[in-house]
Amino acid sequence: VNGERDRLTHALQFLSDPQTLPASFGKGQTAPPRGYVFLHPQMGVLLIASNLPAAGQGTTYEMWVIPKGGTPRPAGLFQSDGTRALYILNGPVDVSMIGTVAVTIEPAAGSSTPTLPIVIAAPIGT
């Protein structure tokens, strides 16, 4: 319970800071995961998703930070509760260099490069 409360408190700090940059995904799609990505230069990346099914046996969701014109970098593993997910990549990020934040389904241990298809793609600054 304390871990969940701490995570939600951290997410609220993220959302209330004036340096936070939002981006959305899933609008206009017929059966999408939908939600928001928030980037903060010191706090990192916050992902809030809905309509996100459980990843399945032996798999997990993996977030990727994709620099503009660069190679995707692994940004952590997380699970969905069957419909929603809240994930935070803690630590400084160069917001000006990030082109997209993406999510794929990977083996439980994660991957060093994304496996297709991309489940979520949030273009930053467009």
Side-chain angles (χ1 to χ4, degrees), residues 8-26:
L8 293 174
T9 299
H10 189 62
L12 288 173
Q13 289 171 340
F14 230 102
L15 296 173
S16 64
D17 193 289
Q19 291 186 73
T20 298
L21 172 71
S24 63
F25 57 88

Side-chain angles (χ1 to χ4, degrees), residues 53-102:
Q57 186 75 22
T59 62
T60 190
Y61 285 102
E62 186 162 3
M63 187 167 80
W64 304 89
V65 173
I66 306 172
K68 294 174 183 168
T71 302
R73 292 188 316 232
L77 308 173
F78 66 94
Q79 288 290 340
S80 165
D81 68 4
T83 58
R84 295 168 300 179
L86 184 147
Y87 175 72
I88 300 171
L89 169 66
N90 288 305
V93 293
D94 186 346
V95 174
S96 68
M97 296 303 293
I98 298 173
T100 304
V101 173

Side-chain angles (χ1 to χ4, degrees), residues 24-35 49-53 100-103 117-123:
S24 63
F25 57 88
K27 292 180 180 175
Q29 297 177 17
T30 53
R34 293 185 182 164
S50 62
N51 200 25
L52 191 64
T100 304
V101 173
V103 173
I118 294 174
V119 178
I120 292 170

Side-chain angles (χ1 to χ4, degrees), residues 27-45:
K27 292 180 180 175
Q29 297 177 17
T30 53
R34 293 185 182 164
Y36 294 91
V37 169
F38 300 91
L39 295 107
H40 188 281
Q42 285 80 43
M43 287 192 270
V45 181

